[in-house]
Amino acid sequence: MSELPEQTDVLVVGGGNAAMAAALTARMQGVSVLVLEAAPKDFRGGNTRHVRNIRYAHDAATDFVTGPYPVDEYLDDLLRVTAGNTDKDLARMMIESSQNAADWMQAQGIWFQPPLSGTIGLGRTNAFFKGGGKAVLNSYYATAERMGIDCRYEAEVTDLAIEDGAFTHARVHFNGQDHTVRARAIVIASGGFQANIEWLKDGWGEAAEGFLVRGTGYNKGRVLRVLMDAGAETAAAPDQCHAIAIDARSPKFDGGIATRVDCVIYSIMVNRKAERFYDEGEDIWPKRYAIWGRLIGRQEDQIAYGIVDAKVNELFMPSMYPPLKACTIGELAEKLDLDPAALEKTVADYNAACRLGDNADKQFVAGELDGLATEGLSPAKSNWAQKIDTPPYYGYPLKTGITFTYMGVRVDREARVQFKSKDGRVRAAANIFAAGEVMSGNILGQGYAGGVGMALGLVFGRVAGEGAARHVAN
Amino acid sequence: MSQTKFRLGDLEALQGEQLPDLHDEARRLLTICNACRYCEGYCGVFPAMMRQKTFADADLDYIANLCHGCNGCYYACQYAPPHPFAMNLPKTFARLRRQTYRDFTWPGPFAGLFHNNGAVVSVALAAAIALVLALVHHFQPTDVIHGNHAGNFYVVVPHAVMAWSFGLVFLYAVVVMLVGFLRFRKHIGSEGGAGIAGATHDAAVMKYMGGGGVRGNSDGCNYPAESFSLQRRAFHQMTFWGFWLCFAATSLGTVYHYAFGWLAPYSYTSLPVLLGTAGGIGLLVGPLGLMYLKHQVDPAIMDARQKGMDTGFLMLLFLTSLTGLALLIWRDTTLMGMLLSVHLGVVLALFVTLPYGKMVHAIYRYAALIRNRRESARATVGTD
């Protein structure tokens, strides 16, 4: 298995959910498939290794979802979170095609689990993978091996030969050498460019230096750049991405899910100047989870600090890194390297604006919008605003953890990449398909709803695999 | 980006190499697990973990003994080596269980028998067979040993001698294991009667050994390697029920003898012989299968220092059954005397090493299952 084949029917670039969905679908049509994954085997699969669930449309409850999630409701949710920044035609097609997602994945040997306590309120809309994303990848690769798909690791595609929107061969760095692999069709499922800090600066400027990357360091967007240089149309702005608040002490790469901190809605969030900067209690946590990475990314040093007291510290999932702990706000500020006087003033102003006790109707209710809002404070805290007055006090240092970038190549309903030709007209490439995060900008112009990434990887992966195999057959 | 002040010592404790102290290492792993929880669908360990935010040593001992080593969580873990978090729950828990076996045995100085347990079992086996052969040859003339007695074992070894000597050794083994059980149960705080019925059910059906699944279906374990398999559960059930069937056969024989005065040999269609034969087949196939799987096991998930203990115990069970069935088949021939001596030697070695070998995993797991049942009956704490 050491030599790279020089020729294949369908070449798949990438090794995550979208890549494997494409590879398996193409192979089912009887064509030969070569999968080139840039990462080593232990870190294969891009962000799929860190996922937990897929959001898919379904008519009824099953063993692993608690109720129906109709296509229209899914589309409404997507339009709301993206504020309409989506290709509605593609979005509807994706959602409609997602309806058999769970059945198809199960047929590939992927296990789901019943909704349990850790399913963050998504038990109806999302199906949860038993064991998470790495278990998904193990099943995908085991099935691929059984079906005779050739999968290579540490095989990095460095260039593509594209003439008038048609692909002929790829340059691949493998085993210390550069190879040429010819194929009749290619599926690009190589992910975003979130591990490419220099590229992130296009959208974020120097702030990108302060980002932590939640997935592995292999998602550099190299093939995306090749496609763009060859004239591929793009979708979504370069600063658009999925990013959450993760512990500032997390590793630079691949901290995954465990480094996230869920303190925000019960805390006050302050920046380097110990000042609040956004409404922490705007909505329930699953609906605000994915905005805080971007919010923190716009603060000085891309860092913020969640401040809570003993009353609420047990109300959210335990963090991997222990919070800093102190008996007074001033002492906590010193431990967090903040100006004690400034933090004391921020907490005092906030406490003075809390109204719990003034009105017998208002109660603090964990997990539900309780309407317990501050008065006369800017920015306001709209829910769960109760005083920070019960020591010990805890501080969670948080930074921007970027999951994936949205800017990618524009595709059509058949997942074919759109190129601008010399005459200035935009045409679909004959044999170049894209799926997953490398084309997520078509669906995600901004915002996010949990589990959409897996749906778009799976649906467009299958469409791309099908189209590539059809092209080979013709 | 300015360097921040909160670079704590315990940060390094959370990522990087495994910690020298086993409890510290298990605590490190569960702190990471508790912030992830992707594995909650696998077995009882994860719900048990999610019921707590902090872990005392006793909590870790409890959770380690709740782990069945199905390895689902290892192969599914995005933080498994070579990731810098170096997560490996199955191996760490296996090492912690081995430590449990040493810490709670009685009398204390015998804890050393758990070191190099494979050698201990081998020496015990050789010594026990030699002892029985020597005693038989000392007390019986050669023509009796090599005579045909129509299956009557008691001509070679008188019933009273056999019953008393083996009864006392077995009683000792039971007492030692009971002491270990009671000590450990107190240690992990699962005293009292609550949860016993549920735990007994969980143990009998090997509830968690299938790795969990939708609608209670077993998906299987990742044993002996990454792919899912129900082989280990099947072989373990054969061993487990084989052991109890043989135990039942012996107990029934004792009742026949003392309560009804029905003396052995019993016919091939009698209940003790049928139970013993069925159990014996279980103890041939089960341990052989488990040893075969163990031979193929992925080194990443195995506590290498436990292999001798596991294999030693399985080998004794296998040999007990093999020699017992051979005795049954050839009990009407002149080979009976020698076959009986060897069988009794193997059984003696099994009984003597019972409380100082792999057998004890059952009592500590049972105590852990009791606490698990009691806790899962209560409401869980924390939020999601």
Side-chain angles (χ1 to χ4, degrees):
Chain A
M1 292 293 281
S2 60
E3 274 308 300
L4 207 57
E6 290 174 4
Q7 182 122 24
T8 183
D9 289 338
V10 174
L11 182 63
V12 176
V13 185
N17 170 54
M20 298 315 284
L24 291 166
T25 305
R27 184 73 188 121
M28 284 172 202
Q29 310 299 314
V31 301
S32 67
V33 178
L34 173 65
V35 174
L36 300 177
E37 161 62 301
K41 185 179 178 190
D42 287 314
F43 296 99
R44 70 187 175 190
N47 276 324
T48 303
R49 68 189 243 97
H50 290 299
V51 303
R52 192 171 188 201
N53 56 71
I54 180 168
R55 181 180 293 255
Y56 72 113
H58 48 272
D59 295 333
T62 66
D63 294 332
F64 41 82
V65 284
T66 57
Y69 189 42
V71 168
D72 289 339
E73 186 188 349
Y74 192 157
L75 191 59
D76 285 348
D77 286 345
L78 189 67
L79 290 171
R80 197 175 56 251
V81 296
T82 59
N85 268 305
T86 184
D87 180 326
K88 287 195 191 64
D89 181 46
L90 280 184
R92 177 169 277 283
M93 168 266 183
M94 177 192 90
I95 292 168
E96 283 172 353
S97 304
S98 77
Q99 291 180 94
N100 62 359
D103 291 340
W104 192 84
M105 294 187 97
Q106 282 185 298
Q108 312 315 315
I110 289 163
W111 303 99
F112 291 96
Q113 64 165 59
L116 297 171
S117 58
T119 49
I120 50 173
L122 298 173
R124 178 174 66 89
T125 56
N126 294 37
F128 282 70
F129 305 118
K130 191 172 148 190
K134 194 172 170 196
V136 170
L137 288 168
N138 293 343
S139 300
Y140 266 142
Y141 280 88
T143 304
E145 189 179 337
R146 221 171 26 249
M147 290 177 61
I149 295 173
D150 191 353
C151 298
R152 301 305 179 100
Y153 303 105
E154 300 177 67
E156 192 184 10
V157 173
T158 55
D159 202 8
L160 304 175
I162 300 170
E163 288 289 332
D164 287 331
F167 160 84
T168 54
H169 60 271
R171 294 291 290 162
V172 184
H173 193 74
F174 178 70
N175 243 345
Q177 287 177 347
D178 289 313
H179 302 255
T180 297
V181 178
R182 311 187 74 80
R184 294 158 77 185
I186 186 167
V187 177
I188 312 294
S190 51
F193 57 91
Q194 61 274 6
N196 188 334
I197 302 292
E198 287 307 311
W199 194 345
L200 288 178
K201 287 179 185 173
D202 284 0
W204 287 88
E206 284 307 305
E209 289 285 350
F211 289 8
L212 303 174
V213 180
R214 299 181 67 213
T216 62
Y218 298 96
N219 286 92
K220 304 240 183 233
R222 191 156 187 174
V223 186
L224 172 60
R225 179 63 82 189
V226 169
L227 289 173
M228 285 166 63
D229 290 347
E233 292 285 291
T234 60
D239 72 314
Q240 287 300 331
C241 62
H242 181 275
I244 66 159
I246 67 172
D247 198 290
R249 296 162 289 186
S250 309
K252 184 74 177 173
F253 293 103
D254 212 32
I257 190 68
T259 58
R260 87 197 174 298
V261 181
D262 295 337
C263 71
V264 172
I265 61 169
Y266 302 120
S267 75
I268 59 166
M269 293 284 289
V270 301
N271 58 19
R272 262 254 180 270
K273 296 188 177 68
E275 291 166 351
R276 291 177 60 248
F277 55 91
Y278 196 84
D279 181 356
E280 302 89 347
E282 199 173 43
D283 207 336
I284 58 166
W285 184 232
K287 293 194 175 170
R288 284 296 169 270
Y289 175 68
I291 73 164
W292 278 88
R294 298 178 61 83
L295 290 170
I296 294 170
R298 297 295 182 202
Q299 300 303 309
E300 183 187 343
D301 287 347
Q302 302 77 52
I303 194 162
Y305 307 83
I307 311 292
V308 299
D309 68 3
K311 292 199 299 291
V312 298
N313 195 46
E314 303 289 311
L315 293 180
F316 48 90
M317 283 249 308
S319 59
M320 170 177 154
Y321 295 97
L324 289 106
K325 182 178 171 184
C327 290
T328 67
I329 293 294
E331 191 191 328
L332 185 64
E334 281 184 19
K335 286 191 173 172
L336 293 169
D337 205 13
L338 295 172
D339 176 3
L343 187 61
E344 279 166 356
K345 180 178 184 308
T346 298
V347 172
D349 290 350
Y350 166 77
N351 283 349
C354 288
R355 286 290 163 268
L356 182 60
D358 293 3
N359 183 341
D361 293 345
K362 293 286 186 202
Q363 293 280 329
F364 176 89
V365 187
E368 296 171 28
L369 295 176
D370 63 3
L372 199 60
T374 54
E375 275 179 33
L377 190 69
S378 182
K381 184 175 179 185
S382 308
N383 290 283
W384 309 289
Q386 62 173 347
K387 286 178 181 169
I388 297 174
D389 59 3
T390 309
Y393 303 102
Y394 299 91
Y396 293 87
L398 302 170
K399 287 188 76 73
T400 302
I402 184 168
T403 318
F404 67 100
T405 48
Y406 291 170
M407 189 185 74
V409 291
R410 190 164 285 289
V411 299
D412 63 9
R413 289 172 65 96
E414 291 171 56
R416 293 180 300 182
V417 178
Q418 308 290 296
F419 282 89
K420 184 173 266 178
S421 51
K422 288 173 191 127
D423 59 13
R425 288 173 55 194
V426 174
R427 288 200 196 88
N431 63 351
I432 307 174
F433 302 82
E437 290 170 0
V438 74
M439 48 64 67
S440 57
N442 292 269
I443 303 293
L444 296 165
Q446 70 176 73
Y448 196 71
V452 168
M454 283 300 280
L456 81 86
L458 188 78
V459 169
F460 286 97
R462 290 175 64 192
V463 168
E466 184 112 25
R470 203 182 315 118
H471 180 84
V472 170
N474 294 335
Chain B
M1 184 184 121
S2 65
Q3 197 59 34
T4 41
K5 212 180 192 177
F6 36 78
R7 288 250 156 221
L8 302 174
D10 53 2
L11 166 63
E12 273 70 46
L14 279 170
Q15 56 199 47
E17 286 310 299
Q18 291 160 12
L19 303 175
D21 180 88
L22 262 184
H23 284 117
D24 286 345
E25 171 67 1
R27 215 170 347 255
R28 177 184 84 88
L29 300 184
L30 286 189
T31 304
I32 296 172
C33 282
N34 220 358
C36 172
R37 302 185 174 184
Y38 280 14
C39 290
E40 64 176 353
Y42 278 115
C43 71
V45 162
F46 300 95
M49 169 194 82
M50 285 156 57
R51 290 192 281 265
Q52 321 188 198
K53 277 196 157 191
T54 55
F55 303 93
D57 286 1
D59 298 325
L60 297 167
D61 293 336
Y62 150 60
I63 292 175
N65 278 283
L66 206 52
C67 166
H68 291 58
C70 82
N71 307 307
C73 67
Y74 174 80
Y75 292 107
C77 186
Q78 65 268 50
Y79 303 119
H83 191 282
F85 292 175
M87 299 290 292
N88 192 337
L89 281 188
K91 196 171 194 164
T92 306
F93 283 162
R95 293 171 65 202
L96 207 48
R97 288 195 295 275
R98 187 155 51 83
Q99 187 166 302
T100 304
Y101 306 158
R102 289 199 301 265
D103 289 353
F104 293 91
T105 195
W106 177 84
F110 282 16
L113 295 173
F114 285 100
H115 285 295
N116 298 319
N117 191 260
V120 169
V121 167
S122 309
V123 171
L125 179 63
I129 294 173
L131 178 70
V132 175
L133 282 172
L135 287 173
V136 168
H137 279 89
H138 181 74
F139 287 107
Q140 299 289 10
T142 312
D143 57 332
V144 170
I145 297 171
H146 296 292
N148 185 334
H149 308 290
N152 188 353
F153 311 132
Y154 307 130
V155 177
V156 181
V157 180
H159 182 269
V161 173
M162 204 190 291
W164 278 102
S165 57
F166 282 84
L168 283 173
V169 174
F170 189 69
L171 186 67
Y172 174 79
V174 169
V175 166
V176 173
M177 288 196 286
L178 193 62
V179 169
F181 173 76
L182 294 173
R183 283 178 168 187
F184 184 67
R185 196 175 65 151
K186 183 162 184 245
H187 174 68
I188 65 169
S190 63
E191 296 139 291
I196 285 183
T200 306
H201 165 268
D202 296 346
V205 303
M206 302 272 143
K207 177 175 174 186
Y208 296 109
M209 209 169 178
V214 170
R215 269 182 306 187
N217 292 338
S218 283
D219 305 336
C221 297
N222 296 102
Y223 188 95
E226 189 189 301
S227 57
F228 288 88
S229 162
L230 283 166
Q231 287 178 12
R232 186 197 200 192
R233 186 167 188 261
F235 287 132
H236 192 284
Q237 285 288 46
M238 286 185 210
T239 308
F240 178 82
W241 289 107
F243 183 87
W244 286 113
L245 284 173
C246 289
F247 184 78
T250 309
S251 304
L252 192 63
T254 308
V255 172
Y256 277 16
H257 187 93
Y258 287 111
F260 301 106
W262 301 340
L263 303 183
Y266 304 113
S267 77
Y268 286 120
T269 54
S270 68
L271 201 50
V273 171
L274 288 175
L275 288 172
T277 306
I281 292 168
L283 282 183
L284 278 186
V285 179
L288 208 58
L290 289 173
M291 282 189 282
Y292 172 72
L293 293 179
K294 193 165 285 296
H295 182 66
Q296 298 176 308
V297 83
D298 182 350
I301 51 176
M302 190 179 57
D303 173 22
R305 300 198 50 195
Q306 203 167 306
K307 199 173 178 183
M309 175 169 78
D310 296 355
T311 312
F313 178 57
L314 289 169
M315 189 55 89
L316 279 183
L317 289 175
F318 175 78
L319 289 177
T320 299
S321 174
L322 187 73
T323 56
L325 289 172
L327 179 60
L328 183 67
I329 292 166
W330 287 295
R331 69 183 184 183
D332 296 330
T333 71
T334 55
L335 292 173
M336 187 272 276
M338 288 304 286
L339 285 172
L340 177 68
S341 304
V342 172
H343 179 60
L344 291 179
V346 175
V347 174
L348 182 61
L350 176 71
F351 283 6
V352 165
T353 57
L354 213 52
Y356 305 112
K358 181 68 177 190
M359 177 71 193
V360 300
H361 78 281
I363 59 171
Y364 298 115
R365 178 147 301 150
Y366 186 57
L369 284 170
I370 293 173
R371 174 166 162 185
N372 180 54
R373 271 285 179 162
R374 288 162 58 155
E375 284 185 348
S376 51
R378 287 184 225 128
T380 57
V381 295
T383 59
D384 301 293

